[in-house]
Amino acid sequence: MLLAEVVATSTVVSATRSRREKVAAIADLLRRTPADEVELVATYLAGSVRQRRTGIGWRTLSSPPPPASVPSLSVAGLDERLESIAALAGPGSGTARGSAVAELLGSGTPDEQAWLRGVLTGALRQGALDAVVQDGVAVAAGLPPDAVRRAAMFAGSTPPVALAALVEGEAGLAGFTLEVGRPVAPMLASSAPDVGAAMARAAGGDDLVAIDQKLDGVRIQVHKDGDAVHVASRSLDDLTARMPEVAELVRGLPAERLVLDGEAISLDEAGAPRAFQDTASRAASGGSGLSPYFFDLLLHDDTDLVDAPTRERLARLAEVVPSSLLVPRLVTEDLATAEEFLADTVRSGHEGVVVKSLRAPYAAGRRGSSWVKVKPVHTLDLVVLAVEHGSGRRRGWLSNIHLGARDPSSPTGWTMLGKTFKGMTDEMLRWQTGHFRELAVDDDGWVVRVRPEQVVEVAFDGVQRSTTYPGGVALRFARVVRYRDDKRPEDADTIESVRAHLAR
């Protein structure tokens, strides 16, 4: 298949705000895609490439050679060239990479060149992320969208699911189930302003709810198969070598096969939580001193518990994990007792609680009303869209960051909420200056536009209506709490979750 067909579809997708039309265009292309190229086409339709790192930056792409007059670049040919470029290393690799990129761009038409620049810098603006591609797969294969999404959660990515759905149909999707050793996207929590609101939302018809302490640690998913233990991060990266103590503890649990969900956290001598940066640093460097605490169980020996209600999963969890390794939990229907539990949790140094329905299944990769987090200080996980050159004392640094929330209705997929430089230490400024230069896709001398990849946790005093920003809202007194390298852009809060604060 020619790349021009993917680019034409991307153009159609980016030209409409209608999700239905985006899905229809994607489905039409997938129906015409040869089976051996479905995974590549699904990857490109989502605005990414198969190679995680190519070494290609925006400067390399800023001065393309004259474009080709007719399309000739194929989908498979592009993948082969990117694979060769990604493999370049050692002395002279920079020059070789520049020549290879110039040759690649020169083989593309004007539209293909523009698309390649967008995809290779992560700045493709078409409003089609994995979720839209998954719906396109469902339409193309004539399958329920929920079945495709569920398979993608278990697979950890969309492309193999697209191939199975289009070639084998429903039987192909049935092959994607919870598998020990293959991490799944973790279940996520929505937010509420107080415990009462969280209990009302999560109860789901029950009087009782489970209320977990929200530990300020690193999310982990641990898979045990006999003596083999695999530790995965929230973003499904392998942390096993960095967390030998966690692996050793799980290896000793009384079960042959387990899939556990929890947090790893650094505690001081008194048992109080250290700063998140200390936990993150230890997790990144493989240092010792991380303590695991588990709050959910997805598989126990030969029993898959993903679809089991929370109360059953928690009962099984208590059978195999000692209480010393369980996240502190309260099961109650009484609001006053719940509020006291939150207050005690905050006094002990943790950031809040998560209120959970006892009836809900484990919704891998989803954020809904079954888990609702409550934190005394309002925070949002947003994505940095751009950063401004500093002035005065901050001259020479990249300082003021532009904050974006996920917005599926926007052509870019993001809506800007405002800017902030508050809360930044000199150490943070030094780090972000180097980091955002690596993510840069454009620099006009004042504003550096970056790939929307870096998640930042921002505290704020409220949300107000605004005519300045396209989402119609802005954050009041936004300040940086920390950068979240353990979260992906798709984990960021949506514009709707931001607007929910407007009514409070």
Side-chain angles (χ1 to χ4, degrees), residues 117-304:
R117 285 197 301 272
V119 167
L120 294 174
T121 59
L124 186 66
R125 302 294 187 240
Q126 62 177 22
L129 298 174
D130 257 2
V132 180
V133 175
Q134 289 166 13
D135 284 355
V137 171
V139 171
L143 296 171
D146 282 348
V148 174
R149 296 189 195 110
R150 180 181 174 88
M153 291 172 195
F154 287 135
S157 64
T158 299
V161 172
L163 177 61
L166 289 165
V167 173
E168 303 176 61
E170 190 173 351
L173 295 188
F176 294 98
T177 58
L178 182 63
E179 182 179 311
V180 178
R182 184 172 67 188
V184 300
M187 187 170 176
L188 304 173
S190 58
S191 60
D194 54 58
V195 176
M199 292 176 71
R201 190 183 305 173
D206 271 352
D207 292 327
L208 293 172
V209 293
I211 306 178
D212 289 359
Q213 286 190 348
K214 190 177 189 308
L215 308 186
D216 197 11
V218 173
R219 185 81 174 263
I220 55 172
Q221 187 178 120
V222 187
H223 292 236
K224 178 183 188 290
D225 189 356
D227 288 334
V229 177
H230 176 82
V231 184
S233 70
R234 178 192 181 104
S235 55
L236 311 187
D237 294 320
D238 188 356
L239 298 179
T240 309
R242 302 180 192 177
M243 298 189 178
E245 295 165 311
V246 173
E248 189 60 30
L249 280 169
V250 173
R251 191 173 288 115
L253 293 178
E256 184 67 19
R257 302 168 75 243
L258 294 170
V259 177
L260 295 155
D261 194 359
E263 297 269 338
I265 188 170
S266 177
L267 304 174
D268 63 20
E269 293 75 12
R274 291 190 171 95
F276 175 80
Q277 287 82 354
D278 185 79
T279 292
S281 175
R282 290 172 186 244
S285 64
S288 61
L290 289 177
S291 302
Y293 290 90
F294 298 105
F295 51 74
D296 217 321
L297 179 63
L298 282 63
L299 182 140
H300 178 204
D301 287 332
D302 293 324
T303 304
D304 183 335

Side-chain angles (χ1 to χ4, degrees), residues 458-469:
V458 175
F460 61 100
D461 289 355
V463 174
Q464 60 190 18
R465 291 182 176 83
S466 171
T467 57
T468 303
Y469 300 111

Side-chain angles (χ1 to χ4, degrees), residues 235-414:
S235 55
L236 311 187
D237 294 320
D238 188 356
L239 298 179
T240 309
R242 302 180 192 177
M243 298 189 178
E245 295 165 311
V246 173
E248 189 60 30
L249 280 169
V250 173
R251 191 173 288 115
L253 293 178
E256 184 67 19
R257 302 168 75 243
L258 294 170
V259 177
L260 295 155
D261 194 359
E263 297 269 338
I265 188 170
S266 177
L267 304 174
D268 63 20
E269 293 75 12
R274 291 190 171 95
F276 175 80
Q277 287 82 354
D278 185 79
T279 292
S281 175
R282 290 172 186 244
S285 64
S288 61
L290 289 177
S291 302
Y293 290 90
F294 298 105
F295 51 74
D296 217 321
L297 179 63
L298 282 63
L299 182 140
H300 178 204
D301 287 332
D302 293 324
T303 304
D304 183 335
L305 297 167
V306 169
D307 293 323
T310 303
R311 57 167 48 88
E312 181 180 338
R313 300 198 309 275
L314 297 186
R316 290 264 196 151
L317 180 67
E319 292 176 8
V320 295
V321 177
S323 59
S324 60
L325 297 181
L326 294 177
V327 167
R329 171 178 294 119
L330 170 71
V331 176
T332 187
E333 59 182 318
D334 183 66
L335 176 59
T337 304
E339 289 175 335
E340 183 179 353
F341 184 75
L342 170 61
D344 288 342
T345 296
V346 173
R347 278 194 294 269
S348 69
H350 298 295
E351 59 178 357
V353 296
V354 181
V355 180
K356 300 180 177 181
S357 165
L358 289 172
R359 304 172 67 181
Y362 189 93
R366 297 188 185 181
R367 188 191 307 274
S369 61
S370 298
W371 288 11
V372 187
K373 60 187 175 183
V374 181
K375 297 193 287 187
V377 176
H378 294 312
T379 65
L380 291 167
D381 292 324
L382 303 174
V383 167
V384 178
L385 304 178
V387 59
E388 297 176 1
H389 288 275
S391 58
R393 193 181 75 81
R394 296 189 176 191
R395 183 176 299 278
W397 285 342
L398 294 180
S399 176
N400 210 2
I401 57 175
H402 295 198
L403 303 167
R406 283 193 298 118
D407 185 357
S409 69
S410 167
T412 67
W414 304 97

